[in-house]
Amino acid sequence: MIQAPGLSLDGIEYAPNHKRILQSVSFDVWPGQCVGILGPNGTGKSTLLRIIAGVLQPSGGTVWLNGRNLQQWSVRERAQQLAFVPQHTNLTFPFRAREVVLMGRTPFLQRWQKERPEDWRIVDEAMTLTDTTHLAERDATTLSGGEMQRVALARALAQQPSFLLLDEPTTNLDLRHQVEILDVITRLARTGVTILAAFHDLNLAATYCSTMILLKNGEVYASGPPLTVLTPQTLGTVFSVEVFLGTNPATGAPYVIPLSTKK
């Protein structure tokens, strides 16, 4: 039996106030894939993730989730399948960090239902995975950017999603936590969770992603494995920069070193 893609984008357009941001974006993502969304600033990476998450409505085209039009899913149904971690999480109310993570269990509780022991167990596991257990009782509004990023990821993991969308998942993280978080993401993909993550760092994406979608001016310019997407010609065209392309001796993944901007 041939497996169907878990997520499909068919001709996605986004043009608020007649300003085109995304144009004819189409691709399929299969269960367990870790896909890196790449491209220059302003090319539509964050917008694309927000459309897939259902935060934004496309101007045209369709997002298919498990073979069903995303617009036919209720908010609750969508949250039981898909979790989204934006670049920045802003809180105005002083929730404790553990309470923020517990919000990830909301789609699985009935209205006014009290959290079950199972929910707290899932919360604690998510905080362990993201190295945030020591922050559990902290006022979340006092956390650093990197600490809040990890708490937000823990909240997404507490949803136990089949699809995890990450907008710059290593933003504000130190080197140790970058590696730890990306290792968690890789392990999730091995269990069948579908990962889509926007990256600025091409080398991190090449190390952890099996597939890349490279955007230019809101369109898919190239897609495929890192070795086929990260070429000097392609990167020169998309980023207007000359690069040296080597091989990471530890992983065998392509390694990009920028040399100079193209005049």
Side-chain angles (χ1 to χ4, degrees):
M1 182 177 179
I2 299 176
Q3 190 180 38
L7 177 72
S8 294
L9 274 66
D10 183 10
I12 293 298
E13 309 266 347
Y14 189 67
N17 301 317
H18 306 291
K19 179 182 178 182
R20 189 169 298 282
I21 296 176
L22 294 173
Q23 180 173 336
S24 301
V25 174
S26 299
F27 58 83
D28 295 329
V29 183
W30 305 85
Q33 269 193 305
C34 186
V35 179
I37 309 294
L38 311 171
N41 290 337
T43 200
K45 300 186 297 295
S46 296
T47 299
L48 182 60
L49 286 177
R50 288 178 176 275
I51 287 173
I52 298 171
V55 177
L56 296 175
Q57 295 296 322
S59 305
T62 306
V63 177
W64 299 95
L65 189 66
N66 288 333
R68 181 179 166 198
N69 189 328
L70 185 66
Q71 295 187 27
Q72 295 175 348
W73 293 68
S74 70
V75 173
R76 180 185 178 87
E77 288 176 325
R78 192 166 62 233
Q80 290 177 346
Q81 290 287 323
L82 187 153
F84 174 50
V85 182
Q87 284 189 47
H88 306 289
T89 300
N90 298 315
L91 295 174
T92 56
F93 191 84
F95 292 104
R96 290 177 300 156
R98 195 165 183 242
E99 292 172 327
V100 173
V101 180
L102 182 61
M103 294 174 188
R105 300 304 302 159
T106 302
F108 302 95
L109 297 172
Q110 300 300 320
R111 180 177 257 183
W112 311 120
Q113 182 182 0
K114 185 176 177 59
E115 298 82 14
R116 303 156 296 184
E118 176 188 4
D119 298 310
W120 288 111
R121 176 186 60 78
I122 292 169
V123 165
D124 290 340
E125 289 177 354
M127 297 192 79
T128 297
L129 282 172
T130 54
D131 189 28
T132 52
T133 301
H134 64 291
L135 303 173
E137 300 304 317
R138 284 271 303 275
D139 176 345
T141 63
T142 69
L143 299 179
S144 71
E147 290 170 335
M148 190 64 235
Q149 187 75 0
R150 283 162 28 228
V151 168
L153 178 58
R155 178 177 60 189
L157 297 184
Q159 289 178 238
Q160 297 184 311
S162 298
F163 302 85
L164 181 59
L165 311 179
L166 305 164
D167 195 357
E168 298 293 343
T170 57
T171 296
N172 299 318
L173 298 185
D174 58 38
L175 186 60
R176 172 197 159 192
H177 286 112
Q178 285 185 22
V179 173
E180 286 183 350
I181 293 303
L182 290 170
D183 281 346
V184 168
I185 292 168
T186 302
R187 292 200 301 272
L188 287 172
R190 292 194 189 116
T191 67
V193 177
T194 304
I195 312 289
L196 279 86
F199 283 96
H200 276 303
D201 190 319
L202 302 182
N203 294 317
L204 277 179
T207 299
Y208 289 93
C209 297
S210 58
T211 302
M212 293 181 162
I213 306 290
L214 183 58
L215 300 179
K216 181 177 186 289
N217 297 327
E219 299 182 79
V220 176
Y221 185 82
S223 64
L227 279 171
T228 64
V229 172
L230 299 181
T231 69
Q233 296 79 11
T234 297
L235 296 179
T237 299
V238 172
F239 291 97
S240 297
V241 65
E242 294 181 354
V243 304
F244 170 80
L245 193 66
T247 301
N248 185 322
T251 65
Y255 193 83
V256 178
I257 300 175
L259 299 176
S260 63
T261 55
K262 297 179 74 172
K263 303 298 184 182

Short mmCIF file of all heavy atoms in Angstrom, two decimals, residues 7 10 19 27 31-32 57-58 78 97 110 115 120 125 136-137 158 170 176 204 213 215 219 221 223 228 237 246:
data_model
loop_
_atom_site.label_atom_id
_atom_site.label_comp_id
_atom_site.label_asym_id
_atom_site.label_seq_id
_atom_site.Cartn_x
_atom_site.Cartn_y
_atom_site.Cartn_z
N LEU A 7 0.81 15.98 4.68
CA LEU A 7 0.54 17.40 4.46
C LEU A 7 0.81 17.73 3.00
O LEU A 7 1.85 17.35 2.45
CB LEU A 7 1.44 18.25 5.36
CG LEU A 7 1.36 19.77 5.23
CD1 LEU A 7 0.04 20.28 5.83
CD2 LEU A 7 2.53 20.44 5.95
N ASP A 10 -1.27 23.04 -2.11
CA ASP A 10 -1.65 23.06 -3.52
C ASP A 10 -1.91 24.50 -3.94
O ASP A 10 -2.96 25.07 -3.67
CB ASP A 10 -2.90 22.21 -3.72
CG ASP A 10 -3.33 22.13 -5.18
OD1 ASP A 10 -2.57 22.57 -6.07
OD2 ASP A 10 -4.44 21.63 -5.44
N LYS A 19 -0.69 42.97 -1.88
CA LYS A 19 0.77 42.83 -1.81
C LYS A 19 1.09 41.35 -1.77
O LYS A 19 0.84 40.67 -0.80
CB LYS A 19 1.32 43.53 -0.57
CG LYS A 19 2.83 43.40 -0.44
CD LYS A 19 3.34 44.06 0.83
CE LYS A 19 4.85 43.88 0.95
NZ LYS A 19 5.36 44.48 2.22
N PHE A 27 3.78 21.75 -2.46
CA PHE A 27 4.69 20.65 -2.14
C PHE A 27 3.98 19.68 -1.21
O PHE A 27 2.95 19.99 -0.61
CB PHE A 27 6.00 21.14 -1.50
CG PHE A 27 5.86 21.94 -0.24
CD1 PHE A 27 5.70 21.33 1.00
CD2 PHE A 27 5.92 23.34 -0.28
CE1 PHE A 27 5.59 22.08 2.17
CE2 PHE A 27 5.81 24.09 0.88
CZ PHE A 27 5.65 23.45 2.11
N PRO A 31 4.85 11.64 6.34
CA PRO A 31 5.01 11.38 7.77
C PRO A 31 6.46 11.05 8.13
O PRO A 31 7.12 10.26 7.46
CB PRO A 31 4.10 10.17 8.00
CG PRO A 31 3.05 10.28 6.94
CD PRO A 31 3.76 10.83 5.74
N GLY A 32 6.95 11.69 9.19
CA GLY A 32 8.30 11.45 9.66
C GLY A 32 9.37 12.27 8.96
O GLY A 32 10.55 12.19 9.33
N GLN A 57 -5.29 32.81 6.78
CA GLN A 57 -6.03 32.20 5.69
C GLN A 57 -5.37 32.56 4.36
O GLN A 57 -5.09 33.73 4.11
CB GLN A 57 -7.48 32.68 5.68
CG GLN A 57 -8.28 32.26 6.90
CD GLN A 57 -8.45 30.75 6.99
OE1 GLN A 57 -8.63 30.07 5.98
NE2 GLN A 57 -8.36 30.22 8.20
N PRO A 58 -5.08 31.58 3.51
CA PRO A 58 -4.46 31.90 2.22
C PRO A 58 -5.42 32.67 1.32
O PRO A 58 -6.64 32.55 1.43
CB PRO A 58 -4.13 30.53 1.64
CG PRO A 58 -5.14 29.61 2.26
CD PRO A 58 -5.37 30.15 3.65
N ARG A 78 -7.75 20.68 14.89
CA ARG A 78 -6.44 21.05 14.37
C ARG A 78 -5.38 21.01 15.46
O ARG A 78 -4.26 20.52 15.25
CB ARG A 78 -6.53 22.44 13.73
CG ARG A 78 -5.31 22.83 12.91
CD ARG A 78 -5.61 24.04 12.07
NE ARG A 78 -5.92 25.21 12.87
CZ ARG A 78 -7.00 25.95 12.73
NH1 ARG A 78 -7.90 25.64 11.81
NH2 ARG A 78 -7.20 27.01 13.48
N ALA A 97 5.82 28.91 34.37
CA ALA A 97 6.25 28.21 33.16
C ALA A 97 5.53 26.87 33.00
O ALA A 97 5.14 26.48 31.89
CB ALA A 97 7.76 28.00 33.20
N GLN A 110 -12.18 18.57 28.04
CA GLN A 110 -13.49 19.16 27.84
C GLN A 110 -13.58 20.47 28.61
O GLN A 110 -12.79 20.75 29.51
CB GLN A 110 -14.59 18.19 28.32
CG GLN A 110 -14.60 16.85 27.60
CD GLN A 110 -14.82 16.98 26.10
OE1 GLN A 110 -15.65 17.80 25.66
NE2 GLN A 110 -14.10 16.21 25.31
N GLU A 115 -7.41 19.08 34.90
CA GLU A 115 -6.31 18.31 34.34
C GLU A 115 -6.18 16.97 35.05
O GLU A 115 -6.32 16.86 36.26
CB GLU A 115 -4.98 19.08 34.47
CG GLU A 115 -4.94 20.41 33.74
CD GLU A 115 -5.60 21.53 34.53
OE1 GLU A 115 -5.84 21.33 35.75
OE2 GLU A 115 -5.88 22.59 33.95
N TRP A 120 -0.50 15.97 33.52
CA TRP A 120 0.67 16.46 34.24
C TRP A 120 1.91 15.62 33.91
O TRP A 120 3.02 16.16 33.81
CB TRP A 120 0.41 16.45 35.74
CG TRP A 120 -0.54 17.52 36.18
CD1 TRP A 120 -1.81 17.38 36.65
CD2 TRP A 120 -0.29 18.95 36.16
NE1 TRP A 120 -2.37 18.60 36.93
CE2 TRP A 120 -1.45 19.58 36.64
CE3 TRP A 120 0.80 19.73 35.79
CZ2 TRP A 120 -1.57 20.96 36.77
CZ3 TRP A 120 0.70 21.12 35.91
CH2 TRP A 120 -0.47 21.71 36.38
N GLU A 125 7.16 15.38 31.14
CA GLU A 125 8.02 14.78 30.13
C GLU A 125 8.47 15.82 29.11
O GLU A 125 9.64 15.83 28.69
CB GLU A 125 7.28 13.64 29.43
CG GLU A 125 7.08 12.40 30.29
CD GLU A 125 6.26 11.33 29.58
OE1 GLU A 125 5.77 11.60 28.45
OE2 GLU A 125 6.12 10.23 30.14
N ALA A 136 10.06 25.50 36.12
CA ALA A 136 8.63 25.19 36.26
C ALA A 136 7.87 26.23 37.07
O ALA A 136 6.75 26.61 36.71
CB ALA A 136 8.46 23.81 36.88
N GLU A 137 8.43 26.72 38.17
CA GLU A 137 7.72 27.64 39.05
C GLU A 137 8.04 29.10 38.76
O GLU A 137 7.52 29.99 39.46
CB GLU A 137 8.04 27.30 40.51
CG GLU A 137 7.65 25.90 40.94
CD GLU A 137 6.17 25.61 40.69
OE1 GLU A 137 5.34 26.49 40.99
OE2 GLU A 137 5.85 24.52 40.18
N ALA A 158 3.74 19.08 24.52
CA ALA A 158 2.66 18.60 25.38
C ALA A 158 1.39 18.33 24.59
O ALA A 158 0.51 17.59 25.05
CB ALA A 158 2.39 19.60 26.50
N THR A 170 15.81 27.75 16.77
CA THR A 170 17.02 27.98 17.56
C THR A 170 17.22 29.45 17.91
O THR A 170 18.27 29.82 18.45
CB THR A 170 18.25 27.46 16.80
OG1 THR A 170 18.34 28.10 15.51
CG2 THR A 170 18.16 25.95 16.59
N ARG A 176 24.60 24.87 23.27
CA ARG A 176 24.17 23.61 23.88
C ARG A 176 22.69 23.36 23.64
O ARG A 176 22.28 22.26 23.23
CB ARG A 176 24.45 23.65 25.38
CG ARG A 176 23.84 22.47 26.14
CD ARG A 176 23.77 22.74 27.63
NE ARG A 176 22.79 21.88 28.27
CZ ARG A 176 22.36 22.05 29.50
NH1 ARG A 176 22.80 23.07 30.22
NH2 ARG A 176 21.47 21.22 30.02
N LEU A 204 22.80 24.38 9.93
CA LEU A 204 21.97 23.64 10.87
C LEU A 204 20.88 22.88 10.14
O LEU A 204 20.60 21.72 10.42
CB LEU A 204 21.34 24.59 11.89
CG LEU A 204 22.18 25.00 13.10
CD1 LEU A 204 21.39 25.95 13.99
CD2 LEU A 204 22.62 23.77 13.90
N ILE A 213 13.00 23.13 1.46
CA ILE A 213 12.18 23.92 0.54
C ILE A 213 12.80 25.31 0.53
O ILE A 213 12.82 26.00 1.56
CB ILE A 213 10.71 24.01 1.01
CG1 ILE A 213 10.12 22.62 1.25
CG2 ILE A 213 9.88 24.82 0.03
CD1 ILE A 213 9.88 21.82 0.02
N LEU A 215 12.75 29.09 -0.73
CA LEU A 215 11.85 30.10 -1.28
C LEU A 215 12.64 31.29 -1.82
O LEU A 215 13.65 31.70 -1.25
CB LEU A 215 10.89 30.61 -0.20
CG LEU A 215 9.96 29.58 0.46
CD1 LEU A 215 9.10 30.26 1.52
CD2 LEU A 215 9.07 28.90 -0.58
N GLU A 219 8.07 32.21 -3.85
CA GLU A 219 7.84 31.02 -4.66
C GLU A 219 8.85 29.95 -4.30
O GLU A 219 9.94 30.24 -3.80
CB GLU A 219 7.95 31.33 -6.16
CG GLU A 219 6.96 32.36 -6.67
CD GLU A 219 7.11 32.58 -8.16
OE1 GLU A 219 6.62 31.74 -8.93
OE2 GLU A 219 7.71 33.59 -8.55
N TYR A 221 11.72 27.92 -5.13
CA TYR A 221 12.77 27.98 -6.14
C TYR A 221 13.45 26.63 -6.31
O TYR A 221 13.82 26.24 -7.42
CB TYR A 221 13.80 29.04 -5.76
CG TYR A 221 14.86 29.25 -6.82
CD1 TYR A 221 14.62 30.09 -7.91
CD2 TYR A 221 16.09 28.60 -6.74
CE1 TYR A 221 15.59 30.27 -8.89
CE2 TYR A 221 17.06 28.77 -7.71
CZ TYR A 221 16.81 29.60 -8.79
OH TYR A 221 17.76 29.77 -9.76
N SER A 223 13.69 22.45 -4.24
CA SER A 223 13.29 21.56 -3.15
C SER A 223 13.96 20.22 -3.35
O SER A 223 14.28 19.81 -4.46
CB SER A 223 11.77 21.41 -3.09
OG SER A 223 11.28 20.79 -4.26
N THR A 228 21.10 18.46 -3.10
CA THR A 228 20.61 18.96 -4.39
C THR A 228 20.15 20.41 -4.30
O THR A 228 20.10 21.10 -5.32
CB THR A 228 19.44 18.09 -4.90
OG1 THR A 228 18.33 18.19 -4.00
CG2 THR A 228 19.86 16.63 -5.00
N THR A 237 21.99 32.57 -6.67
CA THR A 237 20.80 33.19 -7.25
C THR A 237 19.83 33.67 -6.18
O THR A 237 19.29 34.78 -6.26
CB THR A 237 20.08 32.20 -8.18
OG1 THR A 237 20.96 31.82 -9.24
CG2 THR A 237 18.82 32.81 -8.76
N GLY A 246 31.37 22.95 1.08
CA GLY A 246 32.18 21.83 1.52
C GLY A 246 31.32 20.73 2.10
O GLY A 246 30.10 20.71 1.91
#
